[in-house]
Amino acid sequence: MDAQSRGRADDIDPADQWVLNPHTGNYELRLDQSAGESPVSARTATAEDSGRRGDTRTGAPRDGREGSGRRGSNSPEVPGQRSRRASQSGGRGAEATATAGRRKRKAPKARRKKALMWTGGVTAFLVATTAVGAYILYEKLNGNIDAIDIGDQGSKNVVSEGPMNILIIGTDKRTGKGNEGYGDKGSAGHADTTILFHVSEDRTNATAMSIPRDLKTEIPECETKAADGTTTTIPGTPDERFNTSLGQSDRNPGCTMKTVENITGVKPDHFMMVDFNAVKELTTAVGGVEVCMAKPVDDPKSHLKLPQGTSEVQGEMALALLRTRHSFGNESDLDRIKVQQQFLASMIREMKSSDTLTNPKKLYTLADAATNALTVDTAISDAKKLMTLAQEIGKVDTKNITFLTMPVIDNPAEPKPITVVVDPVKGEQLFAMLRSDTSLTEVKQKEKAAKGKQAALLKGPKAAPADVRVDVLNGGEIAGAAGATVTWLQNQQGVLKSTNKANAPEKIKKTTLEYAPNQADQARALAEMMGLPASAMKPGTADAEGLEAMVLTLGADFKGAGIPITGPAKIPADVEKSSADKAVCAK
């Protein structure tokens, strides 16, 4: 009987029961057995398939399976929807099927719905196969990723609401087939190439700052976590090369992250670590990376051989380019960094090109190679999270990605300098710009109109230091910051009416200054002393009465008394930088 005669007209539409038989490639009708009806296969018999069925009248094949007949058509067709009708005789109401010479199939009354059914069937099939394919792909990519638990270092969120800082580490650890000739034999690896990738809060720009491996700095104490959950504290060491922050003394990437934060005041949210294999696999996955040489290169030590002008490199040749120190400039690590930046800029352009983004095969190969090559922190250790992070970073236009090297000077402690140290002036200026999320491109100039009202809070007459009244609270990470700031304000700036109010009720990320309209001149004066950005100014609506003081709450962006909260508006003119959208020839 049909669905109506069983009293379930609203529950079952036989046309919705057509499914693809994987054994035959045909669509077959399978009614709900729970409704008291056996599955029925509807098909068109041909001389070809009549010999393959055990019983052409019932549609039962010789192996006992129902509904497994073959169609004479070369491609499966979704049958048309039957008209619903109440059958008083108890007939099936289905379209009968028979072999040639017997009853012919009746034409469906709803033939006009056939195209719709076909479209719906294909759509459902595509959705189903896409879902299955996506699951398989996810499982495949997910199984590629290696992760390291870095404990309290970094962020537990995949994407931060504010600026994001990702530490990219290239290690010289000798792992994998074909890498025996690289790195130090038996070494656990170093932070050979390190880039702090800062993505702005509004995702309009990014800064990629390379950190020289020969930078002399303090490696702070750090904790590492073993697979069984036990932690080990590794003592800090002063005056060490930066590259020993990884691998040496069993330090993991969390120790490198802590070292970077100690140097710059910028806290990395995540790390991504790659080794020699990654360079070879990723460059091959994108089909090669275009590079430009200002002169021919023939380096017997790295086996790098490239003509003058543009070339495409991948695999071993790409790795040789990134590792050579004898083909460019004065053969220093700083000149090697410039070549690495030019290479990475070209690779970013290739990854974001239409040739890559519109090529499914290339995208899969790239995703497979990338996940295979990466070791990351546990907060981003599955394919879905990495994809989310990649999409967030991908919002930045390549023309607004700035590459530069941490400002350094020769180490004054060495008679013949081999290592370098942070430039005490330019370095701090750049770090302050990163901490205050100041763009190194002109992208934010477009936003001046929208932010003009807030910026105007810093403009106007300023009160004399002796007339500034302020209560200082510590909502940041540095113990005693409020007291130290009050001491600095009184002794160095002449703000005698400043008071230490100890700790704020809760921690805050950014420093704020709350004041009344009639305290605006005091607020502007204090903002100038402290180097506060316009975003820190929080004017109230009611005037202050009597000797009421403003409230300055120090946030996580506060790095010490006398250190400006925000950096300069522009990077120092003599600090070299380049944009990811422009090709530059290596010299």
Side-chain angles (χ1 to χ4, degrees), residues 216 222 293 459 515 529 533:
K216 271 296 187 77
C222 61
M293 301 294 110
K459 297 178 180 179
Y515 60 96
M529 298 174 201

Side-chain angles (χ1 to χ4, degrees), residues 187-224:
S187 170
H190 304 77
D192 190 60
T193 300
T194 307
I195 296 175
L196 178 60
F197 195 78
H198 171 87
V199 183
S200 68
E201 181 174 4
D202 59 12
R203 311 302 188 240
T204 63
N205 64 93
T207 300
M209 183 183 72
S210 296
I211 303 174
R213 66 179 185 177
D214 294 329
L215 175 74
K216 271 296 187 77
T217 187
E218 176 191 1
I219 310 296
E221 177 184 285
C222 61
E223 286 189 348
T224 60

Side-chain angles (χ1 to χ4, degrees), residues 101 111 131 264 286 444 447 493 544 552:
R111 179 71 69 178
T264 66
V286 296
K444 288 193 175 179
E447 301 176 10
Q493 302 298 313
L552 174 68

Side-chain angles (χ1 to χ4, degrees), residues 367-390:
D368 188 38
T371 51
N372 230 342
L374 286 175
T375 298
V376 299
D377 54 281
T378 51
I380 55 171
S381 59
D382 71 52
K384 189 178 295 184
K385 292 177 180 178
L386 276 176
M387 184 180 294
T388 299
L389 185 60

Side-chain angles (χ1 to χ4, degrees), residues 286-321:
V286 296
V289 176
E290 186 177 275
V291 295
C292 180
M293 301 294 110
K295 60 182 180 181
V297 175
D298 189 357
D299 180 12
K301 292 187 176 181
S302 66
H303 308 294
L304 177 65
K305 191 171 184 177
L306 291 172
Q308 181 178 353
T310 58
S311 305
E312 274 198 353
V313 296
Q314 60 178 285
E316 293 287 348
M317 191 62 71
L319 182 57
L321 173 64

Side-chain angles (χ1 to χ4, degrees), residues 111-192:
R111 179 71 69 178
R112 62 187 176 82
K113 295 185 180 179
K114 189 171 186 177
L116 179 61
M117 284 300 301
W118 167 244
T119 304
V122 170
T123 302
F125 175 75
L126 289 176
V127 169
T129 53
T130 300
V132 172
Y135 175 76
I136 294 173
L137 176 62
Y138 170 78
E139 289 297 306
K140 169 69 169 66
L141 298 181
N142 213 38
N144 289 345
I145 303 169
D146 291 325
I148 294 176
D149 189 340
I150 53 175
D152 294 334
Q153 289 300 309
S155 172
K156 302 308 176 187
N157 299 320
V158 176
V159 175
S160 302
E161 291 183 1
M164 292 193 305
N165 298 292
I166 301 164
L167 196 63
I168 302 170
I169 306 171
T171 175
D172 59 1
K173 184 176 181 180
R174 292 170 17 140
T175 56
K177 184 179 180 181
N179 292 329
E180 296 82 2
Y182 303 113
D184 299 330
K185 186 174 182 179
S187 170
H190 304 77
D192 190 60

